[in-house]
């Protein structure tokens, strides 16, 4: 069964975040067998809080699809991603979810 990683991010320095973390993470997602379904800013908050913040300036959502939960975890727990993850420190507040689901590729 496919797995989906859903990331919400309140990004404070978008250009720096995208140039560093975004580029490096994107290469690793591909390397570990994932694919992006949605990557983008422009989130509209309809209810609740976004990424633990009451405001959503700079808010983005990223959804990636993985062959299965194990593949997503292999990416997440890899030494390579541990290094890449450091590139977003101080640049964004993120929340990451992992869920199994049907193949949504059209």
């Amino acid at each position: 069964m496919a797995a989906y990683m859903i990331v919400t991010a309140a990004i404070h320095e978008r250009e720096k975040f995208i140039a560093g973390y975004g580029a490096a993470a994107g290469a690793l997602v591909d390397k570990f067998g994932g694919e992006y379904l949605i990557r983008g800013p422009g989130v509209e908050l309809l209810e609740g809080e976004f990424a633990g913040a009451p405001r959503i300036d700079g808010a983005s959502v990223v959804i990636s699809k993985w062959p299965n939960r194990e593949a997503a975890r292999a990416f997440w727990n890899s030494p390579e991603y541990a290094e890449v993850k450091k590139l977003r420190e101080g640049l964004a507040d993120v929340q990451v979810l992992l869920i199994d689901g049907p193949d949504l590729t059209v």
Side-chain angles (χ1 to χ4, degrees):
M1 176 174 281
Y4 297 88
M5 190 176 291
I6 302 164
V7 180
T8 61
I11 300 173
H12 313 299
E13 294 184 53
R14 184 165 296 281
E15 287 98 29
K16 191 172 181 181
F17 180 89
I18 291 171
Y21 173 80
L28 280 181
V29 166
D30 187 52
K31 176 182 175 182
F32 280 85
E35 68 176 293
Y36 287 113
L37 301 180
I38 296 172
R39 281 171 66 167
V43 172
E44 180 181 358
L45 182 64
L46 298 178
E47 184 175 339
E49 291 186 354
F50 185 86
R55 297 184 47 167
I56 61 170
D57 298 340
S60 293
V61 170
V62 174
I63 301 174
S64 55
K65 177 184 168 194
W66 300 84
N68 50 49
R69 203 176 269 253
E70 292 75 24
R73 283 192 188 125
F75 158 78
W76 186 258
N77 295 317
S78 71
E80 297 99 328
Y81 184 66
E83 287 301 309
V84 167
K85 200 168 156 181
K86 293 175 185 177
L87 297 173
R88 73 174 193 214
E89 289 177 3
L91 301 178
D93 299 315
V94 301
Q95 182 177 46
V96 183
L97 307 166
L98 183 60
I99 188 169
D100 293 323
D103 186 345
L104 298 178
T105 305
V106 216

XYZ file of all heavy atoms in Angstrom:
803
model
N 0.836 -1.171 0.000
C 0.000 0.000 0.000
C 0.886 1.241 0.000
O 1.899 1.289 0.677
C -0.897 -0.017 1.236
C -1.743 1.229 1.370
S -2.934 1.167 2.729
C -4.196 0.168 1.978
N 0.487 2.239 -0.756
C 1.231 3.490 -0.821
C 1.188 4.194 0.530
O 0.300 3.948 1.351
C 0.634 4.395 -1.900
N 2.160 5.046 0.758
C 2.194 5.885 1.955
C 2.376 7.327 1.499
O 2.985 7.593 0.455
C 3.329 5.463 2.881
N 1.830 8.237 2.280
C 1.896 9.662 1.950
C 2.481 10.424 3.125
O 2.060 10.236 4.263
C 0.497 10.192 1.611
C -0.043 9.505 0.384
C -0.751 8.314 0.502
C 0.206 10.007 -0.879
C -1.209 7.648 -0.621
C -0.255 9.352 -2.007
C -0.954 8.172 -1.871
O -1.390 7.515 -2.989
N 3.483 11.247 2.822
C 4.067 12.118 3.824
C 3.477 13.502 3.587
O 3.544 14.032 2.474
C 5.593 12.147 3.691
C 6.276 12.830 4.850
S 8.085 12.749 4.736
C 8.370 11.000 5.017
N 2.886 14.061 4.631
C 2.252 15.373 4.537
C 3.014 16.311 5.464
O 3.125 16.061 6.666
C 0.769 15.296 4.946
C 0.045 14.282 4.061
C 0.120 16.677 4.869
C -1.293 13.846 4.585
N 3.541 17.370 4.878
C 4.344 18.323 5.629
C 3.655 19.674 5.574
O 3.334 20.168 4.491
C 5.767 18.446 5.036
C 6.591 19.449 5.827
C 6.447 17.087 4.973
N 3.421 20.267 6.737
C 2.969 21.651 6.793
C 4.143 22.465 7.303
O 4.876 22.024 8.191
C 1.751 21.826 7.715
O 2.086 21.434 9.040
C 0.573 21.006 7.218
N 4.334 23.619 6.714
C 5.476 24.441 7.102
C 5.102 25.912 7.108
O 4.516 26.411 6.148
C 6.637 24.211 6.136
N 5.420 26.569 8.194
C 5.342 28.025 8.268
C 6.774 28.502 8.026
O 7.635 28.374 8.896
C 4.825 28.463 9.628
N 7.025 28.982 6.816
C 8.393 29.314 6.391
C 8.671 30.793 6.661
O 7.910 31.659 6.239
C 8.586 28.972 4.897
C 8.338 27.478 4.687
C 9.978 29.377 4.437
C 8.330 27.044 3.235
N 9.787 31.057 7.339
C 10.141 32.420 7.721
C 11.048 33.095 6.690
O 10.988 34.311 6.545
C 10.834 32.423 9.087
C 10.117 31.605 10.109
N 8.827 31.862 10.524
C 10.498 30.494 10.789
C 8.452 30.963 11.422
N 9.448 30.116 11.589
N 11.898 32.322 6.032
C 12.820 32.862 5.016
C 12.734 31.968 3.785
O 13.537 31.059 3.597
C 14.250 32.893 5.558
C 14.444 33.854 6.713
C 15.890 33.922 7.166
O 16.773 34.153 6.298
O 16.125 33.736 8.371
N 11.733 32.220 2.935
C 11.396 31.327 1.827
C 12.555 31.097 0.854
O 12.844 29.967 0.496
C 10.172 31.843 1.068
C 9.744 30.887 -0.038
C 8.355 31.173 -0.547
N 7.340 30.970 0.457
C 6.853 29.780 0.811
N 7.298 28.688 0.246
N 5.925 29.691 1.727
N 13.226 32.146 0.395
C 14.291 31.953 -0.600
C 15.414 31.080 -0.061
O 15.888 30.174 -0.734
C 14.855 33.295 -1.089
C 13.920 34.046 -2.017
C 13.121 35.114 -1.278
O 13.619 35.645 -0.276
O 11.992 35.406 -1.718
N 15.832 31.366 1.153
C 16.913 30.589 1.771
C 16.464 29.143 2.003
O 17.225 28.203 1.768
C 17.315 31.246 3.093
C 18.570 30.708 3.697
C 18.992 31.543 4.905
C 20.272 31.008 5.503
N 20.700 31.779 6.675
N 15.224 28.960 2.433
C 14.668 27.632 2.671
C 14.647 26.814 1.382
O 15.103 25.672 1.345
C 13.246 27.775 3.238
C 12.557 26.483 3.528
C 12.694 25.870 4.766
C 11.764 25.865 2.573
C 12.040 24.674 5.056
C 11.105 24.675 2.847
C 11.251 24.077 4.080
N 14.135 27.397 0.311
C 14.009 26.682 -0.968
C 15.374 26.381 -1.567
O 15.621 25.266 -2.037
C 13.130 27.476 -1.948
C 11.682 27.464 -1.442
C 13.209 26.901 -3.364
C 10.758 28.383 -2.183
N 16.267 27.366 -1.559
C 17.589 27.175 -2.170
C 18.414 26.116 -1.455
O 19.117 25.332 -2.096
C 18.345 28.500 -2.185
N 18.312 26.062 -0.138
C 19.102 25.093 0.619
C 18.351 23.799 0.862
O 18.555 22.796 0.179
N 17.449 23.836 1.808
C 16.718 22.636 2.210
C 15.864 22.067 1.076
O 15.903 20.866 0.804
C 15.830 22.934 3.419
C 14.935 21.776 3.761
C 15.418 20.692 4.478
C 13.610 21.746 3.333
C 14.611 19.601 4.768
C 12.796 20.670 3.624
C 13.299 19.601 4.331
O 12.491 18.530 4.598
N 15.093 22.910 0.413
C 14.178 22.425 -0.626
C 14.886 21.670 -1.737
O 14.458 20.590 -2.140
N 15.978 22.219 -2.218
C 16.726 21.569 -3.298
C 17.340 20.248 -2.838
O 17.241 19.225 -3.527
C 17.809 22.514 -3.818
N 17.950 20.253 -1.666
C 18.610 19.046 -1.171
C 17.601 17.957 -0.811
O 17.806 16.780 -1.122
C 19.473 19.391 0.045
N 16.497 18.335 -0.167
C 15.477 17.347 0.198
C 14.834 16.754 -1.051
O 14.577 15.550 -1.109
C 14.418 17.981 1.092
N 14.584 17.585 -2.052
C 13.988 17.101 -3.298
C 14.825 16.018 -3.962
O 14.287 15.017 -4.451
N 16.120 16.191 -3.977
C 17.001 15.177 -4.567
C 16.932 13.872 -3.786
O 16.933 12.788 -4.371
C 18.435 15.705 -4.616
N 16.831 13.961 -2.464
C 16.761 12.747 -1.645
C 15.414 12.040 -1.768
O 15.362 10.809 -1.745
C 17.039 13.072 -0.180
C 18.489 13.240 0.208
C 18.610 13.545 1.691
C 19.308 12.014 -0.150
N 14.346 12.800 -1.877
C 13.023 12.181 -2.066
C 13.071 11.295 -3.293
O 12.657 10.132 -3.261
C 11.913 13.248 -2.175
C 10.618 12.643 -2.705
C 11.670 13.893 -0.818
N 13.604 11.808 -4.368
C 13.727 11.039 -5.612
C 14.620 9.812 -5.412
O 14.273 8.706 -5.808
C 14.279 11.940 -6.722
C 14.277 11.263 -8.068
O 13.218 10.746 -8.475
O 15.344 11.235 -8.718
N 15.744 10.006 -4.763
C 16.699 8.914 -4.531
C 16.068 7.767 -3.738
O 16.351 6.596 -4.006
C 17.925 9.442 -3.786
C 18.933 8.374 -3.410
C 20.097 8.943 -2.632
C 21.022 7.836 -2.158
N 22.130 8.339 -1.376
N 15.195 8.086 -2.792
C 14.592 7.072 -1.942
C 13.255 6.549 -2.469
O 12.564 5.807 -1.781
C 14.435 7.598 -0.510
C 15.699 7.529 0.296
C 16.639 8.542 0.230
C 15.965 6.438 1.112
C 17.815 8.486 0.968
C 17.133 6.365 1.855
C 18.065 7.390 1.778
N 12.894 6.914 -3.705
C 11.697 6.356 -4.328
C 10.409 7.108 -4.091
O 9.330 6.618 -4.424
N 10.506 8.305 -3.539
C 9.310 9.117 -3.334
C 9.051 10.020 -4.528
O 9.910 10.184 -5.392
N 7.861 10.577 -4.569
C 7.543 11.565 -5.600
C 6.635 12.617 -5.005
O 5.784 12.326 -4.166
C 6.880 10.925 -6.822
C 5.499 10.377 -6.552
C 4.816 9.830 -7.791
O 4.501 10.618 -8.700
O 4.608 8.610 -7.842
N 6.860 13.853 -5.409
C 6.035 14.944 -4.918
C 4.715 14.983 -5.667
O 4.681 14.910 -6.888
C 6.746 16.283 -5.086
C 7.887 16.476 -4.114
C 9.198 16.538 -4.554
C 7.633 16.612 -2.757
C 10.242 16.728 -3.665
C 8.672 16.795 -1.855
C 9.965 16.862 -2.316
O 10.984 17.040 -1.424
N 3.626 15.112 -4.923
C 2.314 15.308 -5.515
C 1.924 16.777 -5.444
O 1.311 17.303 -6.377
C 1.256 14.453 -4.803
C 1.489 12.943 -4.808
C 0.350 12.234 -4.073
C 1.620 12.413 -6.224
N 2.262 17.417 -4.341
C 1.982 18.845 -4.142
C 3.169 19.454 -3.419
O 3.651 18.910 -2.432
C 0.711 19.066 -3.286
C -0.521 18.536 -3.996
C 0.545 20.540 -2.922
C -1.771 18.551 -3.149
N 3.626 20.598 -3.921
C 4.666 21.390 -3.257
C 4.308 22.833 -3.486
O 4.442 23.322 -4.592
C 6.034 21.137 -3.882
C 6.698 19.883 -3.459
C 7.922 19.576 -4.267
N 9.013 20.507 -4.118
C 10.245 20.277 -4.542
N 10.550 19.141 -5.138
N 11.180 21.160 -4.378
N 3.815 23.490 -2.474
C 3.508 24.867 -2.764
C 3.059 25.719 -1.605
O 2.538 25.232 -0.613
N 3.278 27.013 -1.781
C 2.814 27.999 -0.819
C 1.355 28.363 -1.110
O 0.751 27.824 -2.023
C 3.728 29.193 -1.099
C 4.013 29.080 -2.560
C 4.060 27.598 -2.846
N 0.860 29.282 -0.340
C -0.474 29.793 -0.609
C -1.572 29.091 0.165
O -2.728 29.089 -0.239
N -1.229 28.501 1.303
C -2.207 27.799 2.125
C -3.211 28.803 2.681
O -2.844 29.888 3.123
C -1.504 27.064 3.283
C -2.504 26.490 4.262
C -0.603 25.979 2.735
N -4.466 28.439 2.650
C -5.523 29.242 3.258
C -6.046 28.499 4.479
O -6.535 27.378 4.367
C -6.665 29.463 2.266
C -7.797 30.278 2.830
C -8.937 30.473 1.847
O -8.825 30.006 0.693
O -9.936 31.074 2.247
N -5.913 29.102 5.633
C -6.345 28.496 6.882
C -7.845 28.723 7.058
O -8.299 29.857 7.097
C -5.580 29.101 8.054
C -5.885 28.540 9.433
C -5.475 27.068 9.509
C -5.165 29.350 10.489
N -8.608 27.644 7.124
C -10.045 27.743 7.311
C -10.468 27.514 8.760
O -11.525 27.983 9.183
C -10.773 26.757 6.394
C -10.564 26.972 4.896
C -11.287 25.901 4.104
C -11.009 28.360 4.468
N -9.644 26.768 9.507
C -9.982 26.491 10.903
C -8.734 26.045 11.651
O -7.856 25.414 11.074
C -11.037 25.381 10.983
C -11.529 25.092 12.379
C -12.654 24.071 12.411
O -13.330 23.870 11.385
O -12.849 23.474 13.474
N -8.650 26.345 12.922
C -7.564 25.872 13.764
C -6.291 26.677 13.611
O -6.312 27.837 13.230
N -5.162 26.030 13.916
C -3.854 26.650 13.799
C -3.038 25.915 12.745
O -3.239 24.724 12.523
C -3.112 26.599 15.135
C -3.707 27.485 16.189
C -2.867 27.529 17.456
O -1.879 26.777 17.557
O -3.207 28.317 18.341
N -2.125 26.599 12.125
C -1.290 26.016 11.080
C 0.116 25.838 11.606
O 0.755 26.806 12.009
C -1.280 26.919 9.848
C -0.528 26.326 8.693
C -1.158 25.474 7.806
C 0.812 26.594 8.506
C -0.470 24.917 6.759
C 1.507 26.030 7.447
C 0.868 25.195 6.577
N 0.602 24.590 11.601
C 1.961 24.270 12.061
C 2.222 24.871 13.433
O 3.304 25.352 13.712
C 3.003 24.730 11.036
N 1.201 24.879 14.282
C 1.353 25.376 15.632
C 1.358 26.882 15.758
O 1.599 27.417 16.824
N 1.087 27.585 14.651
C 1.110 29.046 14.684
C -0.274 29.602 14.347
O -0.959 29.066 13.484
C 2.135 29.572 13.677
N -0.678 30.668 15.017
C -1.987 31.246 14.726
C -2.035 31.980 13.386
O -3.094 32.173 12.828
C -2.217 32.209 15.891
C -0.861 32.514 16.421
C -0.007 31.304 16.125
N -0.882 32.363 12.843
C -0.833 33.045 11.541
C -0.248 32.112 10.507
O 0.481 31.184 10.834
C 0.040 34.292 11.636
C -0.549 35.302 12.608
C 0.255 36.543 12.612
N 0.520 36.936 11.237
C 0.986 38.106 10.875
N 1.243 38.992 11.769
N 1.224 38.392 9.625
N -0.525 32.361 9.230
C -0.023 31.468 8.193
C 0.813 32.188 7.146
O 0.959 31.715 6.036
C -1.159 30.674 7.524
C -2.154 31.603 6.846
C -1.826 29.760 8.505
C -3.147 30.883 5.965
N 1.398 33.308 7.476
C 2.301 33.974 6.541
C 3.419 33.001 6.175
O 4.035 32.400 7.043
C 2.915 35.224 7.173
C 1.869 36.262 7.537
O 0.761 36.197 6.989
O 2.169 37.121 8.383
N 3.672 32.832 4.896
C 4.735 31.928 4.455
C 4.365 30.463 4.536
O 5.230 29.597 4.479
N 3.091 30.158 4.670
C 2.661 28.772 4.858
C 2.721 27.970 3.559
O 2.378 28.457 2.501
C 1.245 28.742 5.411
N 3.155 26.728 3.702
C 3.247 25.808 2.570
C 2.804 24.422 3.005
O 2.863 24.085 4.185
C 4.688 25.697 2.060
O 5.114 26.897 1.486
N 2.401 23.629 2.031
C 2.096 22.225 2.252
C 2.832 21.425 1.188
O 2.871 21.816 0.018
C 0.581 21.937 2.171
C 0.301 20.453 2.156
C -0.135 22.583 3.345
N 3.421 20.319 1.615
C 4.095 19.404 0.697
C 3.523 18.017 0.946
O 3.462 17.568 2.088
C 5.621 19.403 0.916
C 6.299 18.346 0.057
C 6.203 20.778 0.653
N 3.096 17.357 -0.122
C 2.628 15.973 -0.023
C 3.469 15.137 -0.968
O 3.562 15.431 -2.163
C 1.137 15.838 -0.379
C 0.296 16.703 0.571
C 0.699 14.371 -0.311
C -1.174 16.748 0.227
N 4.102 14.118 -0.398
C 4.883 13.200 -1.222
C 4.306 11.796 -1.092
O 3.772 11.421 -0.050
C 6.364 13.210 -0.820
O 6.524 12.926 0.553
N 4.406 11.063 -2.183
C 3.913 9.684 -2.232
C 5.106 8.744 -2.213
O 6.123 9.001 -2.865
C 3.122 9.477 -3.522
C 2.629 8.068 -3.705
C 1.938 7.930 -5.044
C 1.707 6.468 -5.341
N 1.360 6.265 -6.723
N 4.963 7.649 -1.471
C 6.015 6.653 -1.321
C 5.461 5.285 -1.652
O 4.258 5.047 -1.476
C 6.541 6.676 0.118
C 7.095 8.022 0.453
C 6.393 9.111 0.888
C 8.437 8.444 0.307
N 7.233 10.181 1.034
C 8.493 9.799 0.682
C 9.601 7.809 -0.099
C 9.679 10.523 0.661
C 10.780 8.530 -0.116
C 10.813 9.876 0.254
N 6.294 4.361 -2.110
C 5.807 3.017 -2.424
C 5.125 2.354 -1.225
O 4.161 1.611 -1.381
C 7.062 2.244 -2.827
C 8.048 3.282 -3.241
C 7.721 4.510 -2.428
N 5.637 2.648 -0.024
C 5.078 2.094 1.205
C 5.660 2.871 2.381
O 6.542 3.711 2.219
C 5.377 0.588 1.330
C 6.838 0.285 1.112
O 7.721 0.907 1.695
N 7.120 -0.669 0.241
N 5.162 2.566 3.562
C 5.601 3.258 4.776
C 7.089 3.029 5.039
O 7.796 3.928 5.505
C 4.764 2.742 5.949
C 4.685 3.677 7.113
C 3.750 3.127 8.179
N 2.396 3.590 7.998
C 1.803 4.490 8.772
N 2.443 5.000 9.796
N 0.568 4.863 8.534
N 7.561 1.827 4.743
C 8.977 1.512 4.985
C 9.894 2.392 4.139
O 10.946 2.832 4.606
C 9.253 0.028 4.702
C 8.600 -0.913 5.689
C 7.085 -1.082 5.492
O 6.574 -0.868 4.378
O 6.408 -1.406 6.491
N 9.520 2.651 2.887
C 10.328 3.508 2.017
C 10.366 4.937 2.560
O 11.422 5.584 2.571
C 9.782 3.489 0.587
N 9.227 5.430 3.023
C 9.171 6.780 3.591
C 10.028 6.866 4.848
O 10.769 7.836 5.049
C 7.731 7.164 3.897
N 9.964 5.849 5.678
C 10.771 5.841 6.901
C 12.259 5.710 6.591
O 13.095 6.277 7.301
C 10.323 4.710 7.819
C 9.049 5.019 8.545
C 8.812 4.007 9.652
N 7.511 4.171 10.234
C 6.611 3.214 10.326
N 6.863 2.006 9.875
N 5.443 3.450 10.893
N 12.592 4.948 5.556
C 14.003 4.815 5.167
C 14.567 6.178 4.788
O 15.699 6.525 5.152
C 14.142 3.821 4.012
N 13.796 6.965 4.056
C 14.181 8.336 3.723
C 14.315 9.162 5.002
O 15.344 9.786 5.255
C 13.135 8.950 2.792
C 13.120 10.451 2.786
C 14.069 11.158 2.076
C 12.146 11.154 3.485
C 14.056 12.552 2.073
C 12.117 12.532 3.494
C 13.080 13.235 2.778
N 13.260 9.165 5.811
C 13.195 10.009 7.003
C 14.312 9.709 7.993
O 14.876 10.621 8.603
C 11.833 9.834 7.675
C 11.637 10.783 8.815
C 11.755 10.490 10.156
C 11.335 12.169 8.738
N 11.517 11.612 10.902
C 11.263 12.663 10.049
C 11.114 13.039 7.678
C 10.979 13.988 10.331
C 10.829 14.361 7.962
C 10.762 14.819 9.269
N 14.653 8.443 8.149
C 15.661 8.029 9.126
C 17.069 7.912 8.554
O 17.985 7.500 9.270
C 15.241 6.693 9.757
C 13.972 6.837 10.573
O 13.806 7.802 11.312
N 13.065 5.887 10.428
N 17.255 8.261 7.296
C 18.572 8.111 6.669
C 19.562 9.151 7.189
O 19.184 10.275 7.532
C 18.462 8.240 5.145
O 18.177 9.589 4.783
N 20.840 8.785 7.221
C 21.876 9.759 7.602
C 21.914 10.944 6.633
O 22.176 12.078 7.048
C 23.182 8.957 7.533
C 22.775 7.524 7.590
C 21.395 7.444 7.012
N 21.618 10.683 5.359
C 21.618 11.769 4.371
C 20.556 12.813 4.719
O 20.806 14.014 4.671
C 21.347 11.240 2.950
C 22.400 10.296 2.422
C 22.006 8.836 2.566
O 21.298 8.479 3.531
O 22.404 8.039 1.712
N 19.347 12.342 5.052
C 18.290 13.300 5.376
C 18.565 14.002 6.702
O 18.229 15.179 6.859
C 16.907 12.645 5.390
C 15.836 13.684 5.629
C 15.594 14.675 4.675
C 15.115 13.716 6.804
C 14.649 15.667 4.901
C 14.164 14.701 7.036
C 13.936 15.668 6.080
O 13.008 16.656 6.305
N 19.189 13.331 7.639
C 19.538 13.969 8.911
C 20.407 15.203 8.659
O 20.239 16.240 9.317
C 20.260 12.980 9.823
N 21.316 15.114 7.694
C 22.163 16.258 7.339
C 21.355 17.348 6.641
O 21.503 18.535 6.931
C 23.338 15.819 6.463
C 24.390 15.051 7.225
C 24.969 15.853 8.380
O 25.398 17.003 8.170
O 24.997 15.325 9.505
N 20.499 16.950 5.698
C 19.684 17.914 4.945
C 18.728 18.645 5.881
O 18.509 19.852 5.746
C 18.923 17.199 3.805
C 17.845 18.088 3.215
C 19.899 16.747 2.729
N 18.158 17.940 6.823
C 17.187 18.517 7.761
C 17.781 19.706 8.524
O 17.069 20.659 8.857
C 16.754 17.416 8.728
C 15.475 17.655 9.430
C 15.075 16.346 10.103
C 14.189 16.556 11.261
N 13.828 15.317 11.931
N 19.069 19.683 8.752
C 19.733 20.789 9.447
C 19.621 22.097 8.669
O 19.680 23.179 9.258
C 21.210 20.454 9.687
C 21.431 19.317 10.656
C 22.907 18.977 10.753
C 23.140 17.749 11.621
N 24.562 17.372 11.648
N 19.455 21.997 7.345
C 19.383 23.195 6.502
C 18.109 24.010 6.720
O 18.041 25.154 6.314
C 19.484 22.799 5.020
C 20.778 22.135 4.582
C 20.665 21.658 3.142
C 21.952 23.098 4.746
N 17.105 23.426 7.349
C 15.862 24.162 7.574
C 15.763 24.737 8.983
O 14.825 25.470 9.295
C 14.652 23.280 7.284
C 14.394 22.223 8.306
C 13.101 21.486 8.019
N 12.751 20.711 9.184
C 12.158 19.540 9.158
N 11.820 19.013 8.007
N 11.876 18.914 10.261
N 16.731 24.433 9.842
C 16.699 24.920 11.221
C 16.627 26.438 11.258
O 17.406 27.130 10.617
C 17.929 24.424 11.992
C 17.885 22.943 12.280
C 19.129 22.430 12.990
O 20.026 23.216 13.322
O 19.196 21.202 13.190
N 15.652 26.943 12.011
C 15.471 28.379 12.155
C 14.771 29.044 10.983
O 14.474 30.229 11.042
N 14.542 28.303 9.903
C 13.914 28.877 8.717
C 12.426 28.556 8.610
O 11.709 29.216 7.867
C 14.609 28.377 7.444
C 16.097 28.689 7.319
C 16.650 28.094 6.031
C 16.333 30.182 7.370
N 11.972 27.532 9.335
C 10.578 27.112 9.216
C 10.157 26.318 10.446
O 10.974 25.643 11.076
C 10.387 26.263 7.967
N 8.869 26.403 10.741
C 8.253 25.547 11.752
C 7.458 24.506 10.980
O 6.587 24.858 10.178
C 7.308 26.360 12.650
C 8.055 27.452 13.397
O 9.135 27.161 13.935
O 7.557 28.588 13.427
N 7.782 23.237 11.190
C 7.162 22.183 10.382
C 6.452 21.149 11.242
O 6.747 20.983 12.419
C 8.193 21.469 9.477
C 8.870 22.451 8.541
C 9.230 20.744 10.300
N 5.522 20.486 10.597
C 4.822 19.344 11.171
C 4.815 18.296 10.069
O 4.510 18.597 8.907
C 3.406 19.749 11.538
C 2.592 18.658 12.176
C 1.216 19.172 12.564
O 0.554 19.835 11.785
N 0.793 18.851 13.773
N 5.158 17.049 10.397
C 5.262 15.996 9.393
C 4.386 14.823 9.818
O 4.491 14.341 10.940
C 6.728 15.529 9.226
C 6.833 14.474 8.134
C 7.637 16.711 8.915
N 3.557 14.382 8.886
C 2.651 13.259 9.119
C 2.921 12.183 8.083
O 3.287 12.490 6.951
C 1.193 13.716 8.990
C 0.788 14.918 9.833
C -0.548 15.468 9.364
C 0.727 14.534 11.281
N 2.700 10.935 8.454
C 2.845 9.816 7.525
C 1.587 8.965 7.628
O 1.167 8.615 8.738
C 4.085 8.979 7.882
C 4.428 7.822 6.967
C 4.700 8.288 5.545
C 5.630 7.053 7.522
N 0.995 8.655 6.484
C -0.254 7.882 6.471
C -0.272 6.930 5.286
O 0.215 7.258 4.210
C -1.484 8.824 6.434
C -2.775 8.047 6.610
C -1.487 9.680 5.186
C -3.988 8.918 6.853
N -0.809 5.737 5.501
C -1.028 4.788 4.413
C -2.282 5.177 3.656
O -3.217 5.749 4.236
C -1.214 3.369 4.958
C 0.043 2.821 5.605
O 1.140 3.104 5.102
O -0.086 2.102 6.613
N -2.325 4.850 2.381
C -3.512 5.149 1.604
C -3.458 4.501 0.248
O -2.437 3.924 -0.141
N -4.552 4.591 -0.487
C -4.589 4.017 -1.823
C -3.711 4.816 -2.783
O -3.342 5.955 -2.498
C -6.059 4.130 -2.213
C -6.550 5.304 -1.436
C -5.788 5.265 -0.132
N -3.379 4.231 -3.906
C -2.592 4.902 -4.930
C -3.446 6.019 -5.526
O -4.469 5.759 -6.140
C -2.188 3.902 -6.012
C -1.252 4.513 -7.023
O -1.125 5.759 -7.084
O -0.606 3.752 -7.766
N -3.018 7.276 -5.334
C -3.787 8.418 -5.803
C -3.263 8.994 -7.116
O -3.748 10.005 -7.571
C -3.783 9.524 -4.735
C -4.409 9.150 -3.401
C -4.285 10.314 -2.422
C -5.870 8.767 -3.582
N -2.265 8.367 -7.713
C -1.726 8.855 -8.972
C -2.765 8.704 -10.069
O -3.392 7.664 -10.207
C -0.441 8.088 -9.350
O 0.482 8.172 -8.262
C 0.185 8.673 -10.587
N -2.935 9.774 -10.822
C -3.941 9.752 -11.896
C -3.275 9.583 -13.236
O -2.276 10.093 -13.522
C -4.750 11.054 -11.952
C -6.173 10.749 -12.315
C -4.704 11.837 -10.689
